Amino acid sequence: MGETSKRLASAAVLVVIYLFMIFYAGFYYLQTYLVLLAGGYIGIKEFYNLSDRGEDGRPFRGTGTFFMFLILSFYYFRFIGAQNKFEAPLFFQQYIRYFIPPFDPVPAAFLLLFIVTFTLQITRRPLDGAIFSVASTFLGVFYTAVPLGHLLLLLGMGQGIYYIILVSVITFLTDAGAYFGGRWFGRHPAGLAISPKKTWEGYATGIVTAIASVFLFNLIWENTTGTSASVRGWEVFLISAILSLVSVIGDLLESAMKRDAKIKDSGSLIPGHGGMLDLADALLITIPVLYYYLQIKGNLGFQV
């Protein structure tokens, strides 16, 4: 099987899993939680492989993985506790106090993570590489758990499914448009040391592709669901441009980490795509950005 065939086959399987994850409510969205846990585990494992410097500093893998599970679980309980679409009495709504502290647990978990990793560093390892070890452990949890948690928060909104598909369409078609635009029209290098082959024409094509794809997606959404798209008119241009630019930053961020680690791909799990971080690098940034964009929009009095 050729490289392109591998990419297409892998993408088809991932799309099916992704759609099942967000459309099927099932037993308290348990499949969504488990898929995100699996993705978070793979992602943080890849991140810690990238950031391992041996004697010069290495992350506390077990500690970071535990806190990633813990923080993602906090997001899940918050998501489930806000749902009212189940026919049976909602277990978590009745006993939510046993799962969520009476304060925002995520910042508290990160504070505890910092204390634990620093304590482990000064009691179990040499002081050389202390800053790198603590920082890389902390960043690995933040880079994986927070974006995946915000996917749950986005899904929990009134038009959650629409917004998740919207951000996915913009993110992935920006990348596809930039790739083909660079190959077909690329003449002027963007001058970025991280990705020297990227061109301004490619980036511009990616943004245009994203805008056009949202108009097409809205048309399909309205014809298939019978409901009006939540992002229309001039806002299509605004949100597409914002998320396209942010997706580029997410892609460059992961490229910078791989160059620092002197490897080509973050992993080899997904045929034709590389690792989990190679596939979802931009989405890990665009999902939280869209969520907070919608929060600001709602606070200004606009419908979301």
Side-chain angles (χ1 to χ4, degrees):
M1 182 181 292
E3 190 67 19
T4 301
S5 299
K6 288 182 181 179
R7 291 177 65 89
L8 292 176
S10 299
V13 173
L14 292 171
V15 166
V16 171
I17 295 174
Y18 195 60
L19 293 177
F20 173 71
M21 181 182 74
I22 63 176
F23 274 102
Y24 179 67
F27 185 73
Y28 305 126
Y29 283 94
L30 183 61
Q31 87 289 344
T32 305
Y33 175 59
L34 294 177
V35 169
L36 292 181
L37 282 182
Y41 173 76
I42 296 168
I44 200 169
K45 181 179 179 181
E46 291 177 357
F47 180 88
Y48 286 157
N49 287 339
L50 292 175
S51 58
D52 194 329
R53 298 297 183 271
E55 296 300 321
D56 294 328
R58 61 186 186 276
F60 292 91
R61 294 172 180 263
T63 301
T65 302
F66 170 78
F67 274 90
M68 184 276 297
F69 284 153
L70 179 65
I71 291 171
L72 190 52
S73 296
F74 284 144
Y75 279 113
Y76 171 70
F77 296 142
R78 175 180 168 183
F79 162 70
I80 288 297
Q83 299 300 303
N84 58 6
K85 60 183 65 176
F86 300 102
E87 295 181 1
L90 188 54
F91 175 80
F92 288 118
Q93 286 181 338
Q94 297 176 13
Y95 303 101
I96 192 70
R97 64 185 181 276
Y98 297 120
F99 296 91
I100 298 294
F103 52 83
D104 188 350
V106 173
F110 276 112
L111 176 61
L112 182 60
L113 169 63
F114 176 77
I115 295 172
V116 170
T117 51
F118 187 76
T119 302
L120 290 172
Q121 179 67 42
I122 62 177
T123 58
R124 299 180 59 181
R125 289 183 181 177
L127 289 181
D128 293 341
I131 294 177
F132 187 90
S133 296
V134 174
S136 61
T137 303
F138 191 93
L139 182 58
V141 177
F142 185 87
Y143 186 52
T144 53
V146 171
L148 295 179
H150 279 75
L151 186 147
L152 286 171
L153 297 184
L154 200 59
L155 181 60
M157 298 181 69
Q159 299 295 323
I161 293 177
Y162 170 85
Y163 286 125
I164 288 179
I165 299 177
L166 174 73
V167 70
S168 303
V169 166
I170 294 175
T171 302
F172 290 122
L173 289 186
T174 293
D175 182 66
Y179 173 76
F180 289 106
R183 288 189 59 181
W184 296 339
F185 312 117
R187 297 292 184 274
H188 300 87
L192 301 175
I194 301 173
S195 296
K197 295 183 179 180
K198 298 294 178 64
T199 64
W200 290 117
E201 291 85 355
Y203 287 133
T205 306
I207 295 175
V208 172
T209 303
I211 294 172
S213 68
V214 173
F215 280 111
L216 178 60
F217 165 60
N218 282 346
L219 182 63
I220 296 173
W221 176 269
E222 292 178 348
N223 288 334
T224 55
T225 66
T227 58
S228 178
S230 300
V231 176
R232 302 175 59 84
W234 63 268
E235 195 179 10
V236 170
F237 294 92
L238 176 63
I239 196 61
S240 297
I242 291 174
L243 294 181
S244 290
L245 292 173
V246 171
S247 72
V248 170
I249 294 173
D251 178 67
L252 293 176
L253 172 63
E254 203 243 352
S255 295
M257 291 190 292
K258 289 190 295 185
R259 283 187 173 271
D260 183 40
K262 298 178 176 57
I263 63 173
K264 182 178 182 296
D265 295 318
S266 65
S268 57
L269 175 70
I270 308 169
H273 294 274
M276 183 67 68
L277 296 183
D278 294 318
L279 181 68
D281 51 2
L283 205 58
L284 292 175
I285 309 297
T286 54
I287 284 176
V289 168
L290 176 60
Y291 175 78
Y292 287 109
Y293 168 87
L294 294 172
Q295 293 301 305
I296 294 172
K297 179 181 175 182
N299 288 334
L300 291 176
F302 297 99
Q303 185 177 359
V304 295

